[in-house]
Amino acid sequence: MMNSPIAFLDVLAACTELRPEIDAAIARVLQSGCYIGGEEVERFETDWAAFCEARQAVGVGNGLDALRLALMALEIGAGDEVIVPSNTFIATWLAVAQVGAVVVPVEPDASTCNLDATRIEAAITSHTRAIMPVHLYGQPADLDPILAIARRHGLRVIEDAAQAHGARYRGGRIGAHGDAVAWSFYPGKNLGAIGDGGAITTDDAQLADRLRKLRNYGSSTRYVHEMAGMNSRLDPIQAAVLSVKLAHLDEWNARRSMIAARYRDGLADSGLALPQVPPWAEPVWHLFVARHPERDALRERLADAGISTLIHYPTPPHRQGAFASMASLSLPISEQLHREVFSLPIGPHLKPDEADRVIEAIGLLLTR
Ligand SMILES: *Cc1c(COP(=O)(O)O)cnc(C)c1O
């Protein structure tokens, strides 16, 4: 085949498109002499909070720390249980385990791959302190029933929004529905830095204040340590780059939506199970995840045709060495999803004709 290969995601293209502005932003930080915190971080925090329709944003080192710090700030730790989706990137589970709390997995709704709210109450015990929904693949979880359950049982809600920058739930941005919302700016996310970065958004000013201390050795005044904090601060170079990219996030998400619409149209009768979008959800298509029982063979054939796909994720958290003590759990919905899901190339720099080539290749393979 003469066609050039189709990459899963081109993160270099995102920087190339904005290269002069990014260069200027980095030069500004170099020249400022301020290499921890400062104006660049504060400006990005203000802009990110506004974008997320939240009152507060606190920049931190990465998405895992954002989750851990949210738990710490809400004083969730040893002896506490936290409800998490059985299918998620392992960071959601690790954050809970690393503050000393116990993960209690709840199965997803197989059609959206997001936490099934109808299964949550059965998992609540006298030790449950929080529910941690994940807006997986860029699609908002059904927050209203989750928030209602949390209110009824006096639980906190911490959202893992690491894949959902710009997504909307019933018209409002993801950003402050729960007590705290954790973000990652890992380069491949919809809003990605040129290294690690993360943030927590919230409407609770007191919680934000605790988070600002916890990310900085438990301190707001130099050498005064009110609590046992971490060192997890958003780097000013990353903040400056993120500010440049934030101005383009809506447009880049719209490009992702256009690719997703093409896939959903072009693959409607292909035999693939396609992502379902509930009427109240405006996803941002961090990933376009389809399902097929012969996933592995299909991916191999697509690779032969020069089309890169990935699996999000190949192994459920309870079957990872990191959670060996939970290996005997039976979580059949998650396990089946992990056997069948695979992700098609998508991103703001994937060209429509490349998406058409993916559609065509899948059509040829599945009708054979
Ligand atoms: C990327 C991601 C994280 C972790 O983000 P890092 O910045 O890599 O630590 C957490 N949760 C989910 C669902 C993610 O996709």
Side-chain angles (χ1 to χ4, degrees), residues 58-76 95-96 98-99 132 158 180 182 198-200 207 210-218 227-234:
V58 179
V60 299
N62 56 65
L64 174 60
D65 282 356
L67 291 164
R68 289 163 56 182
L69 285 160
L71 288 158
M72 287 166 72
L74 292 167
E75 296 180 275
I76 294 168
V96 173
Q98 288 174 0
V99 299
M132 220 181 216
I158 301 168
I200 301 116
L207 186 69
R210 281 180 66 76
L211 286 163
R212 288 198 177 92
K213 289 174 187 156
L214 283 168
R215 73 175 170 186
N216 183 43
Y217 294 109
M227 49 186 91
M230 331 205 310
N231 173 2
S232 183
R233 302 173 290 223
L234 180 63

Side-chain angles (χ1 to χ4, degrees), residues 119-196:
R119 295 170 183 271
I120 291 175
E121 272 181 311
I124 293 174
T125 73
S126 59
H127 299 289
T128 310
R129 291 285 316 283
I131 308 171
M132 220 181 216
V134 179
H135 306 299
L136 199 67
Y137 309 147
Q139 166 124 264
D142 194 2
L143 286 169
D144 280 351
I146 294 172
L147 292 164
I149 292 166
R151 263 193 306 274
R152 206 147 58 230
H153 296 268
L155 307 178
R156 301 295 201 161
V157 173
I158 301 168
E159 300 166 58
D160 181 341
Q163 304 187 353
H165 312 74
R168 290 178 186 273
Y169 176 71
R170 297 189 184 279
R173 293 268 197 202
I174 295 301
H177 292 87
D179 296 279
V181 181
W183 302 93
S184 162
F185 304 118
Y186 177 86
K189 309 290 189 186
N190 290 39
L191 180 61
I194 53 169
D196 278 311

